[in-house]
Amino acid sequence: MPNSFAWGRSYIIIGVATNPMAQTPFTNDIRTLRFLAGEMTQGDLGDKVGVTRQTIAAIEQGRYSPSLEVAFRIAHVFGKPLEAVFQWTANAG
Amino acid sequence: MSFREKIHWIALVGLLSAFGWYFLSYPWEIANSPKGMYTAVWMLLPVTIIFLVPMVAGAAFFAIRSPKDADLKEDEREKGIHLRGTYLAYYPLVIGVQLNIFVLINGFNYGYAVTILIATLVVAELIRVGSQLYYYRRGY
């Protein structure tokens, strides 16, 4: 599902909206996993991971690359391996 | 919008209002005299009030409205934004100090020296706050 951005033109790569100004070389399934985890909010996930709601939103929309620690924490919250949450896109980066 | 981003917006508006008033009201005709220097220093009093009052009031308002957000510690993304903004602000600071040395050597003293130092700080702060706001909006 495409997301909207305050800055720059948005376009879609493999289902995740990205911004040409701040494009991460991977996609993620956080939004789906949150939905499957009882419609967990970004704020709830942020509280569990130890980051702000805005940071979760930025990660989810592909505007921010989290540290390895935060990526693992997110995966841990959903009880999934890292690659089930984040997927490297071969043609990006 | 996070608590810190809101505070940054208030700081940006405060900086523009306070120092906008300063630079537009400063009596440039007496700048190169001791009186010009004292005027510049005294004008910093209302500037500080114009800048600090909305900052304190805004911070208190947003902290009361959303205390949970205000209590949150900086996360890794916010720390990164903080560092990037500070890094970008370093360059105008260096250029401003060099400019100040140049004008002092060339006989512009007193009010000019103080005002250029203030302008250096203001430009550096505007770049810091402005770039941090840009990164907050962009994601990083």
Side-chain angles (χ1 to χ4, degrees), chain B residues 13-103:
Chain B
V13 173
L15 273 170
L16 289 171
S17 319
F19 289 99
W21 170 79
Y22 175 90
F23 289 111
L24 290 174
S25 310
Y26 184 75
W28 293 99
E29 62 279 3
I30 60 159
N32 208 21
S33 67
K35 199 178 171 191
M37 184 181 70
Y38 293 123
T39 306
V41 173
W42 275 108
M43 279 177 76
L44 288 178
L45 196 68
V47 162
T48 309
I49 293 166
I50 297 170
F51 179 68
L52 278 185
V53 168
M55 275 290 284
V56 172
F61 174 75
F62 289 121
I64 290 164
R65 263 187 65 175
S66 48
K68 197 183 155 201
D69 281 356
D71 283 342
L72 278 177
K73 278 172 68 180
E74 257 188 346
D75 66 20
E76 60 171 37
R77 176 174 149 269
E78 290 174 324
K79 277 179 190 163
I81 290 171
H82 185 114
L83 287 173
R84 279 190 177 199
T86 309
Y87 168 78
L88 287 174
Y90 171 78
Y91 296 101
L93 211 57
V94 170
I95 292 166
V97 169
Q98 286 172 342
L99 183 68
N100 209 47
I101 293 167
F102 177 80
V103 297

Side-chain angles (χ1 to χ4, degrees), chain A residues 5-7 19 21-22 43 47 50-55 58 63-67 70, chain B residues 1-5 68-69 72-73 75-78 133-140:
Chain A
F5 293 93
W7 300 88
N19 186 323
M21 291 162 64
D47 289 343
V51 298
T52 60
R53 184 191 64 76
Q54 289 77 16
T55 297
R63 292 187 289 125
Y64 171 64
S65 300
S67 68
V70 167
Chain B
M1 196 185 292
S2 70
F3 176 77
R4 281 185 194 86
E5 192 180 337
K68 197 183 155 201
D69 281 356
L72 278 177
K73 278 172 68 180
D75 66 20
E76 60 171 37
R77 176 174 149 269
E78 290 174 324
L133 279 170
Y134 169 75
Y135 288 127
Y136 272 121
R137 293 279 88 198
R138 195 181 87 150
Y140 191 86

